[in-house]
Amino acid sequence: MARTWEEKSGGVTAPQGFLAAGVAAGVKYKGRRDIALIFSEVPARAAGVFTTNLVKGAPVVVTMERIARGRARAVVVNSGNANTCNGEQGIRDARAMAQETARVLNIPEEDVLVASTGVIGQPMPMDRILPGIAAAARELSSGGGAAAAEAIMTTDTEPKETALSLPLSGHTVTIGGMAKGSGMIHPSMATMLCFITTDAAVSAPCLQEMLRHAVDRSFNMISVDGDTSTNDMVLALANGRAGNPEIAAENEDYHLLRDALTEVCTRLARAVARDGEGATKLLEVKVINAASEKDARLAARAVVASNLVKTAIYGQDANWGRIICAAGYSGAHFDPDRVDIYLGDIMVARDGVALPFDEEAASSVLAGREVRVLVDLKSGEYEATAWGCDLTGEYVNINASYRT
């Protein structure tokens, strides 16, 4: 099937029928956008994927309950406070955010999904958050995607949004997305926060299947620091405004939309990895010719998550032994005596043994803003790609004083 994607601007408001806003409510810092609102002008199908951390933020608990209905019209998000480990008060506060959103938008409370990100264990400043939600509702517009993407940032250095369109059965369908994430990135069935909108007509069960597929191949293949957050979630809303025949089973349109959704998630996942706290480089690890997809994924994720690999990338040290070591403890099955390793285009190991290579040239490869590592297991025909970043002293500085 041909992929005929077209780049779009607007992020979550690129699809028809979606409005968004981002406003400053003073949740943690004065003058900084920290309340985001996404609104579908018509009822939408909804799907979600959430953190597997046993400790879950109150918004995750509330939204997991509501997503089971398979429909929603709004997502309200705050940054600056995770609303996690706040007991029953945290649940009440998450529900209060939904109630206020429902009131100002004149929609049922059950149609509002809630997300929060920030410091754990801090009381929610509801005296600022609730007026902020009302202010965001007044600012809703078809051009508000960028402001919303900015409002969900914490230690991110830049907002992350993307959008594309594609033809489906004679109709043009658009998918938009925004994400935040910089630290505590080592997802297990989710990422920090990501919100996706589409004007495609698709059933809730199909949307859920597509989202899980996309997340598994994008956000579940990134790592910044090995920490899985308490508030991770990826939400998708589909309002059908494109007018395409509803996708309710696997067919050509199903696969085209799923591939496009995976592309949107992959772009956002790469952006999260590139913006890792203190990072100076994006690290891409591709494992090829594995015996199974599971083996390829295990090896790629282990290499990209290895602190020893990440520090070597930062120091521009072509220490390929750390790469094969990480693959070896990943749980993937392969013959170590057949592994080839490349740094960029430079082959540094063949059949598990060092090759003579130009250290200066290899160091130059590692000095780039994007570093690509290829691991050929020569055990089968499967492959997988994972993304991460280098580990720097600045990461320590950021997290040594995160709460204050």
Side-chain angles (χ1 to χ4, degrees), residues 255-297:
H255 289 284
L256 287 169
L257 186 63
R258 188 182 71 178
D259 286 349
L261 177 61
T262 302
E263 174 67 13
V264 166
C265 288
T266 300
R267 292 181 186 185
L268 292 171
R270 283 174 56 92
V272 169
R274 185 192 302 276
D275 196 29
E277 288 177 341
T280 65
K281 313 175 198 300
L282 173 71
L283 170 62
E284 179 179 283
V285 176
K286 186 172 185 178
V287 173
I288 63 173
N289 298 321
S292 68
E293 183 180 10
K294 179 182 178 181
D295 288 331
R297 289 167 56 82

Side-chain angles (χ1 to χ4, degrees), residues 181-232:
S182 192
M184 291 187 79
I185 303 293
H186 187 72
S188 185
M189 299 310 294
T191 186
M192 282 296 290
L193 291 181
C194 176
F195 308 102
I196 297 166
T197 58
T198 179
D199 49 21
V202 55
S203 71
C206 283
L207 183 63
Q208 185 67 50
E209 291 170 5
M210 292 177 185
L211 186 63
R212 284 196 178 277
H213 175 94
V215 165
D216 209 31
R217 286 154 180 78
S218 57
F219 297 118
N220 277 354
M221 296 300 290
I222 63 174
S223 183
V224 168
D225 52 16
D227 273 287
T228 299
S229 174
T230 56
N231 288 51
D232 295 352

Side-chain angles (χ1 to χ4, degrees), residues 320 337-342 347-355 378:
W320 64 269
D337 294 330
R338 300 189 65 193
V339 176
D340 297 344
I341 298 174
Y342 294 79
M347 192 176 193
V348 294
R350 176 186 290 132
D351 293 331
V353 176
L355 286 176
K378 293 190 287 190

Side-chain angles (χ1 to χ4, degrees), residues 20 83 99 107 129 208 228 310 326 341:
N83 192 11
Q99 290 165 0
I107 60 174
I129 288 176
Q208 185 67 50
T228 299
K310 292 153 72 70
I341 298 174

